[in-house]
Amino acid sequence: MKDSIRWIIHITCGGILIVLLGLHMGAMHLPDIFKFFYPLPEGSDPVQWSAVISRAKDVTTYALYMIFLPVALYHGLYGLWNVIAEALSSRKLDKIVGWVIVLAGIALYIYGAYTTTVSFINKGM
Amino acid sequence: MEMEKMRKFIIVVQRNDPSNKQGTKWNDYSIEVPRGTTVLDALIKIKEEQDNTLSFRYSCRMGVCGSCGMMINGLPMLGCQTQIYDLESDHIEISPLPNYDVLRDIVSDLTNLFEKHKSVMPWIIRNDSKETDNPSGEFFQSPQNLEWIYQFTYCLKCGLCLSACPTAATDKLYTGPQALAQAYRYIMDMRDEGFSERLSKIDDSHGVWRCHYASSCSQVCPKGVDPALGIQLLKREVVLRKLRLKRQRKGAEVLSGPIEGAKKKEGIPSAPPKNI
């Protein structure tokens, strides 16, 4: 894949992250304003265990996390690969590190998606 | 006649000799010079009067050839364009440009710069080889197009931008601000059709995407070129063409002669006769 395509995806993911992280931060820290997005159980705080479990059961939050996970992973890991590639300054090592990062990304995605899905299906861990 | 006022400066020059394994050393030279003296003039004076072993490179002495790039008090500058009185210090440190190998003393090896410059094919590329091999006239270029790329045509290849670039300091394979800005200059030239030929060098993991927009290249350019801007515009150009939001244009046609029967406006002199 050409670097321009990787870079376009990276920037697109950055844009999506601004929206998704904004929603997440809003739901966590400004619950009164963001109650349209995620209504809290009566009298609970967004970071309380009961609220976390309640979110895990919520289909909107599940969908959001399932989008958030690959987007954040790609954005972060591509950034990491760039830092390493710049420091190594070797085309051969670029490729090796690139494949290690791709495999790590896939493993992290599987683990993250599994945890989120299990939490959603089981209505909480 | 009034005596020219002189001021004393201590010039500290880094001495390098790659063949000598003792490493670098610093030599101090004390000189008295009048206002208007450049750092290059001071070095020439030192070489003539104090130390004929001092090596530095220069040619035009007027900021055109780009030969005398050096670090002056920690900043990459052209020796011939830097007034010694403007440095606001009596103590001046001179060393070779970073991000290059050193040939001797403050003479940097610019081979790397020229290789990178060459790699982006800094010339007009056309698909019509018949016309380029046997030109029948000039290719048309609009004043607007010339204005768009004009600042990038001022590049001297002095290498100051590459020496100031923090990315080039860590990534030796990075194409660099000079070459990328020149790639943009030729890609945007309406006579050029070589975008796809240059793409492999630009759209590379050590190409245009490696620039983090530190902009130090633009700050040190002695001709006021803004390579950092050129690189960002080049990124936009690559993205637009990759997403097919902009098409590869056809290079400008050869200028045709005046329309037959057209009347010449008064006051416009005749063209000189052809000499080739």
Side-chain angles (χ1 to χ4, degrees), chain B residues 71 74-77 97-100 159-169 174 177 214-221:
Chain B
M71 289 294 271
L75 285 173
M77 298 185 200
L97 292 174
N99 300 343
Y100 297 103
L160 298 195
C161 52
L162 195 67
S163 73
C165 176
T167 308
Y174 176 46
S215 263
S216 21
C217 52
S218 304
Q219 283 182 28
V220 300
C221 179

Side-chain angles (χ1 to χ4, degrees), chain B residues 15 41 45 54 61 87 109 113-114 121 153 170 176 180 185 224 233 271 275:
Chain B
R15 306 299 301 273
D41 292 335
K45 192 176 165 68
L54 181 63
R61 303 198 214 186
L87 292 170
D109 183 358
L113 173 87
F114 296 129
M121 294 178 265
T153 66
T170 51
L180 289 171
R185 174 253 176 273
L233 293 173
N275 54 11

Side-chain angles (χ1 to χ4, degrees), chain A residues 2-8 78 81-83 85-91 94, chain B residues 167 170-173 200-201 203-206 209-210 212 235 238-239 242-243:
Chain A
K2 276 283 176 191
D3 259 71
S4 52
I5 303 297
R6 291 188 200 127
W7 192 80
I8 291 166
Y78 178 75
W81 178 73
N82 267 313
V83 173
E86 196 172 309
L88 292 175
S89 198
S90 151
R91 286 182 196 282
D94 279 1
Chain B
T167 308
T170 51
D171 185 358
K172 301 292 169 206
L173 299 175
S200 62
K201 190 66 195 172
D203 189 7
D204 176 76
S205 56
H206 298 277
W209 314 108
R210 192 58 62 224
H212 307 309
K235 283 180 185 173
V238 174
V239 168
K242 274 276 163 189
L243 296 177

Side-chain angles (χ1 to χ4, degrees), chain B residues 1-7 32-35 85:
Chain B
M1 196 176 139
E2 199 183 321
M3 277 280 285
E4 251 184 317
K5 275 188 186 171
M6 303 290 265
R7 196 169 132 194
E32 279 193 25
V33 287
R35 181 172 282 280
Y85 275 60

